[in-house]
Amino acid sequence: MRTLVPLCRDVISGRYRPVPWKALGLAAGALLYLVSPLDLIPDMLVGLGILDDLVIVTWLLGKLDDALADYRLWRGEVPDPEPSDPSAP
């Protein structure tokens, strides 16, 4: 999520093109699902209703993270290296 605000600034200012519509749509979808009274499982079912919100929003945010990969490369952000295997040569 901390990448989304700079992305919006760069898109609005025209510094970053093409516009990542998929990423913006996923962010909007996650926000709308979280605040929408229409859920797969109603929030009145206290445990399950909130759990379904967490699962769906977490899944959408994971997809959003994947959609922002090109933007991160453009900004020069490199992904964290994989932990090295001490037994590897």
Side-chain angles (χ1 to χ4, degrees), residues 34-75:
L34 193 59
V35 298
S36 172
L38 302 173
D39 287 344
L40 292 176
I41 301 173
D43 289 339
M44 287 184 250
L45 300 171
V46 177
L48 293 176
I50 293 171
L51 181 64
D52 101 296
D53 287 352
L54 281 171
V55 168
I56 297 292
V57 169
T58 300
W59 178 75
L60 285 171
L61 291 178
K63 293 290 185 186
L64 173 61
D65 191 49
D66 294 342
L68 292 174
D70 290 339
Y71 176 69
R72 284 194 188 99
L73 286 174
W74 177 80
R75 283 188 67 185

Side-chain angles (χ1 to χ4, degrees), residues 10-31:
D10 288 337
V11 165
I12 290 170
S13 71
R15 287 188 301 250
Y16 181 69
R17 296 285 185 229
V19 177
W21 293 112
K22 180 179 178 181
L24 296 175
L26 287 167
L31 181 63

